[in-house]
């Protein structure tokens, strides 16, 4: 399988590392062999070789100018769009940063890849949250695969569970802790630390960005709620359809009062479908009883509960971010493509 990577940050590097370290196991157990034939990155530039690039050499680069010269190597394919059009890849893997207002430029990359006959795998929440119906219709028309396991809870098999393992069940509600930064902050506040101090700590540890707005105001969770609503529940929701409130208004007094009541605050993203098929979603802090499975999930860990007619409630707990977990999510989608033949 020939792969083109758009984006070579944490996730792209994680995938390359996994493909290198697991290549023998993947070949022996699944008959799966893959190589990176093209890479485009905003900082490093573009690089391509029709026979495949050396993964270890790629991982050592800070810019692609330092990649060793080899016969057949193409150092500058122009823009990411040029790379998508010209590369001999079977699959485009799109792992650039999310832009929730427009989904760009990732949305255009995904659309172009499908139009030019390439499967698409993305961990970028923007295109799936904003244009899932369009992209899935295009993939279906072209007979191609659109993979997005890594958009919600990284490699924890959330989308696979909802789309495949629960097939045949009617899912009436999905709710979860979908942002590790806010969950870490709330966990530390329970230990008595004020919000401002915990936020600084989270930034120092790399859990929160220098500008934490997307996390603490709930916008990151909102993007994932849109994906769950529109891919698993048949919704056609837009950003403006989802009420969203973050955790910035919660105080230590709120936390202490919850503890006295044997309850716990969590930032919950939820999607519900009523008996008439109407889908609604929201993101907000919710006071949970300690008996709720989501209440016991602490630190940066994520969790999600599916409420079904045949199995009752099923909760999945796992990492929601990180180099290897998200790189694994891409691998799981690539294996799905491989199994399709």
């Amino acid at each position: 399988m020939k792969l083109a990577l758009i984006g070579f940050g944490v996730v792209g590097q994680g995938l390359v590392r996994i493909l290198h370290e697991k290549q023998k196991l993947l070949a022996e157990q699944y008959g799966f062999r893959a190589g990176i034939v093209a890479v485009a990155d905003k900082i490093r530039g573009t690089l391509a070789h029709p026979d495949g690039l050396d993964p270890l050499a790629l991982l050592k680069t800070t810019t692609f100018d330092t990649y060793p010269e080899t016969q057949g190597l193409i150092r500058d394919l122009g823009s990411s769009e040029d790379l998508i059009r010209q590369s001999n890849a079977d699959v485009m893997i799109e792992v650039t940063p999310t832009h929730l207002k427009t989904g760009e430029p990732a949305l255009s990359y995904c659309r172009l890849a499908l139009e030019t006959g390439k499967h698409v795998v993305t961990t970028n929440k923007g295109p799936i949250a904003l244009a899932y119906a369009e992209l899935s219709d295009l993939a279906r028309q072209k007979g191609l695969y659109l993979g997005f396991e890594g958009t919600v809870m990284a490699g924890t098999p959330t989308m696979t569970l909802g789309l495949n393992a629960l097939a045949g069940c009617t899912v009436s509600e999905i709710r979860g802790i979908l942002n590790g930064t806010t969950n870490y902050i709330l966990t530390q506040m329970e230990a008595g630390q004020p919000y401002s101090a915990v936020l600084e700590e989270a930034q120092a540890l790399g859990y929160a960005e220098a500008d934490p707005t997307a996390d603490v105001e709930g916008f990151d969770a909102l993007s994932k709620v849109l994906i769950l609503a529109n891919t698993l529940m048949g919704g056609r929701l837009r950003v403006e359809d989802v009420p969203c409130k973050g955790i910035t208004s919660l105080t230590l007094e709120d936390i202490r009062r919850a503890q006295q009541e044997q309850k716990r605050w969590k930032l919950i993203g939820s999607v519900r479908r009523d008996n008439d098929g109407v889908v609604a979603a929201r993101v907000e802090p919710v006071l949970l009883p300690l008996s709720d499975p989501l209440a016991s999930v602490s630190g940066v860990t994520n969790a999600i509960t599916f409420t079904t007619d045949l199995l009752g409630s099923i909760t999945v707990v796992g990492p929601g971010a990180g180099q290897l977990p998200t790189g694994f999510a891409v691998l799981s989608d690539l294996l799905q493509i491989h199994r399709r033949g």
Side-chain angles (χ1 to χ4, degrees):
M1 187 181 290
K2 297 182 176 67
L3 313 176
L5 268 173
I6 309 298
F8 198 60
V10 170
V11 179
Q13 292 174 44
L15 173 65
V16 171
R17 191 177 304 279
I18 290 169
L19 290 175
H20 174 68
E21 294 176 354
K22 295 278 189 177
Q23 59 180 331
K24 183 178 179 182
L25 179 146
L26 292 170
E28 290 178 350
Q29 292 193 9
Y30 308 106
F32 176 77
R33 295 172 177 81
I36 310 295
V37 297
V39 188
D41 184 78
K42 186 176 181 180
I43 295 174
R44 287 175 167 82
T46 59
L47 200 64
H49 196 297
D51 297 328
L53 298 161
D54 182 339
L56 291 181
L58 276 177
L59 290 170
K60 290 177 181 177
T61 64
T62 52
T63 70
F64 291 149
D65 291 340
T66 61
Y67 186 91
E69 189 66 42
T70 55
Q71 187 174 1
L73 184 70
I74 305 170
R75 288 199 179 273
D76 189 359
L77 273 173
S79 66
S80 295
E81 290 88 348
D82 293 331
L83 182 145
I84 293 169
R85 290 190 188 95
Q86 297 174 31
S87 81
N88 63 329
D90 307 304
V91 185
M92 184 207 71
I93 299 167
E94 203 289 320
V95 287
T96 66
T98 291
H99 192 295
L100 189 55
K101 289 185 178 180
T102 67
E104 297 294 358
L107 177 54
S108 292
Y109 297 156
C110 293
R111 189 183 292 123
L112 178 61
L114 292 170
E115 288 171 346
T116 54
K118 296 174 176 64
H119 301 287
V120 168
V121 173
T122 184
T123 63
N124 193 319
K125 296 179 285 293
I128 306 302
L130 302 180
Y132 171 71
E134 176 200 344
L135 293 176
S136 60
D137 285 347
L138 181 56
R140 193 176 303 111
Q141 291 167 16
K142 297 283 188 177
L144 297 167
Y145 182 87
L146 174 65
F148 47 92
E149 179 64 62
T151 58
V152 179
M153 286 181 61
T156 303
T158 305
M159 306 310 300
T160 299
L161 177 62
L163 289 168
N164 300 323
L166 293 180
C169 288
T170 297
V171 178
S172 58
E173 182 180 19
I174 305 171
R175 61 192 183 93
I177 297 168
L178 304 174
N179 181 271
T181 300
T182 51
N183 203 44
Y184 176 82
I185 290 172
L186 293 175
T187 299
Q188 296 303 103
M189 287 178 71
E190 281 200 24
Q193 297 187 56
Y195 170 83
S196 57
V198 179
L199 177 58
E200 288 183 9
E201 181 180 290
Q203 290 170 322
L205 292 170
Y207 298 153
E209 302 289 341
D211 179 2
T213 304
D215 292 323
V216 299
E217 296 294 353
F219 302 137
D220 175 68
L222 168 60
S223 66
K224 297 168 186 176
V225 161
L226 281 172
I227 292 169
L228 293 168
N230 295 342
T231 65
L232 301 184
M233 301 285 275
R236 292 286 181 128
L237 300 183
R238 301 164 298 177
V239 172
E240 55 267 30
D241 297 325
V242 182
C244 182
K245 182 181 179 181
I247 65 168
T248 54
S249 63
L250 288 177
T251 66
L252 280 178
E253 183 57 35
D254 294 323
I255 302 293
R256 293 191 189 101
R257 190 178 302 115
Q259 290 174 318
Q260 292 169 0
E261 297 174 3
Q262 297 294 296
K263 294 181 179 179
R264 183 166 285 146
W265 284 104
K266 295 294 182 183
L267 183 68
I268 299 295
S270 62
V271 186
R272 292 181 178 87
R273 181 170 50 205
D274 66 20
N275 292 333
D276 296 323
V278 177
V279 176
R282 63 191 310 111
V283 175
E284 62 184 344
V286 177
L287 196 55
L288 300 177
L290 296 183
S291 58
D292 190 308
L294 298 180
S296 63
V297 178
S298 61
V300 294
T301 304
N302 285 195
I304 194 164
T305 296
F306 293 82
T307 301
T308 76
D309 59 341
L310 301 179
L311 298 175
S313 293
I314 297 173
T315 300
V316 180
V317 181
Q323 184 183 67
L324 294 182
T326 313
F328 168 74
V330 176
L331 174 63
S332 69
D333 277 326
L334 295 177
L335 288 170
Q336 289 284 357
I337 297 171
H338 173 66
R339 293 184 184 108
R340 284 164 50 113

